[in-house]
Amino acid sequence: MSLLLIDLGNSRIKWAYGDHPWASVGYSFTADVAQLLQQLLTLPRPDAIHGCTVGQPAAALLLEQFCQQQWGHSIQWLKVSRNALGIHNTYRHLEQQGPDRWAAVLGARSLFPERALVIASAGTALTVDALTEENEYLGGMILPGLRLMKSALAQQTARLTLSEGAFHDFPRCTTDAIETGCISAMAGSIIAMQTRLTRRGDTPLCIISGGDAALIAPHLPNQPIIAEQLVLHGLAALAQDIYQ
Ligand SMILES: Nc1ncnc2c1ncn2[C@@H]1O[C@H](COP(=O)(O)OP(=O)(O)OP(=O)(O)O)[C@@H](O)[C@H]1O
Ligand SMILES: CC(C)(CO)[C@@H](O)C(=O)NCCC(=O)O
């Protein structure tokens, strides 16, 4: 069965086409939906389309219209649920939770069974979510992503500008101080979640994905695993459950 899976984030739209393993994958920036549509035009007609969106509704609408016109399919957008694939979601108000977080949890579990997991998605925002070995999703944290942290400093201070620095244990210039501070804050929040799960008696594995995963991973203990496209893997696992 050929599926088209779409992850509409705040910075990028990622997609995968085919059965598992995917025949093709791609992405475009959310601001450039036209580029995405060019990519999708090259694909054969999928049997079904599953999507997850936390991005601009206008981008989702454009995609909807394209899929209808091109293939006569509507997109089945993921809704956060209380239970899926054996995982219990304890988020207080399900309608509040970003479906990308729920999809990433489901995707991480499909790739890494039978372990407590810390699932960090380092995209536009950084989210750090906790899943127990017994498949209870406990909740998680939301922080600004690296780019957002840096732009907030540049916008709200007189002397800091948007810049590229390098990580140093003891930074001795402004650009390095900013880079090191932001990356340490991101890594620190992931370590904090690992510590909380460990205190509960779990031995969590840390899975990290998103545009900034490779920058943060070296600053985490216990060999974190960088996993690409957790959201798409979550959509694939749910689709497999539906169509099997
Ligand atoms: N041209 C770019 N535009 C935006 N972010 C970029 C760019 N190049 C690198 N990045 C980095 O990638 C991060 C965004 O990651 P990613 O592409 O995974 O976002 P996203 O998947 O759209 O995010 P989300 O799913 O949270 O909306 C930013 O914090 C930034 O540091
Ligand atoms: C936190 C983001 C922006 C991460 O992409 C997204 O999951 C979202 O918009 N969430 C809504 C708020 C929540 O998850 O509680």
Side-chain angles (χ1 to χ4, degrees):
M1 176 160 198
S2 281
L3 295 175
L4 174 60
L5 308 171
I6 300 172
D7 168 16
L8 205 171
N10 280 298
S11 300
R12 288 189 302 155
I13 307 173
K14 283 82 68 178
W15 60 266
Y17 174 86
D19 207 341
H20 223 258
W22 297 318
S24 44
V25 293
Y27 76 88
S28 77
F29 288 101
T30 306
D32 192 0
V33 179
Q35 191 199 6
L36 173 76
L37 301 188
Q38 286 298 325
Q39 296 169 3
L40 298 186
L41 264 177
T42 65
L43 300 176
R45 183 176 187 275
D47 296 314
I49 308 174
H50 290 261
C52 171
T53 181
V54 296
Q56 292 297 333
L61 191 64
L62 271 174
L63 262 175
E64 284 271 6
Q65 287 166 346
F66 173 86
C67 293
Q68 260 315 331
Q69 280 165 15
Q70 187 68 13
W71 298 306
H73 277 315
S74 56
I75 304 174
Q76 300 177 53
W77 294 108
L78 175 66
K79 285 203 169 64
V80 177
S81 59
R82 190 57 77 197
N83 295 288
L85 307 180
I87 299 181
H88 180 65
N89 185 346
T90 65
Y91 219 65
R92 201 176 306 147
H93 301 294
L94 294 180
E95 67 284 2
Q96 231 177 41
Q97 188 182 27
D100 59 340
R101 296 175 63 194
W102 182 228
V105 167
L106 299 174
R109 171 54 84 227
S110 74
L111 297 174
F112 306 97
E114 294 169 16
R115 284 288 302 266
L117 300 178
V118 170
I119 301 140
S121 301
T124 311
L126 169 66
T127 53
V128 187
D129 289 293
L131 179 65
T132 68
E133 201 180 305
E134 294 77 29
N135 280 331
E136 186 168 23
Y137 167 72
L138 297 175
M141 304 187 282
I142 303 173
L143 291 82
L146 185 59
R147 202 166 256 243
L148 281 182
M149 284 192 194
K150 287 185 182 178
S151 66
L153 286 174
Q155 279 167 24
Q156 306 292 328
T157 62
R159 294 180 57 161
L160 304 183
T161 54
L162 208 50
S163 59
E164 295 292 318
F167 187 100
H168 288 283
D169 283 348
F170 304 100
R172 283 180 290 156
C173 69
T174 309
T175 52
D176 293 353
I178 292 172
E179 187 80 16
T180 306
C182 295
I183 289 177
S184 299
M186 296 172 86
S189 68
I190 297 169
I191 293 167
M193 192 57 99
Q194 284 176 319
T195 307
R196 289 172 202 155
L197 270 173
T198 306
R199 268 200 228 114
R200 291 179 86 256
D202 289 308
T203 313
L205 193 63
C206 177
I207 313 296
I208 178 159
S209 70
D212 292 322
L215 278 178
I216 302 170
H219 306 289
L220 297 173
N222 308 329
Q223 295 185 325
I225 296 174
I226 296 185
E228 301 293 331
Q229 311 299 15
L230 283 184
V231 172
L232 297 179
H233 282 291
L235 291 176
L238 281 166
Q240 198 189 358
D241 194 52
I242 296 170
Y243 301 117
Q244 74 186 354

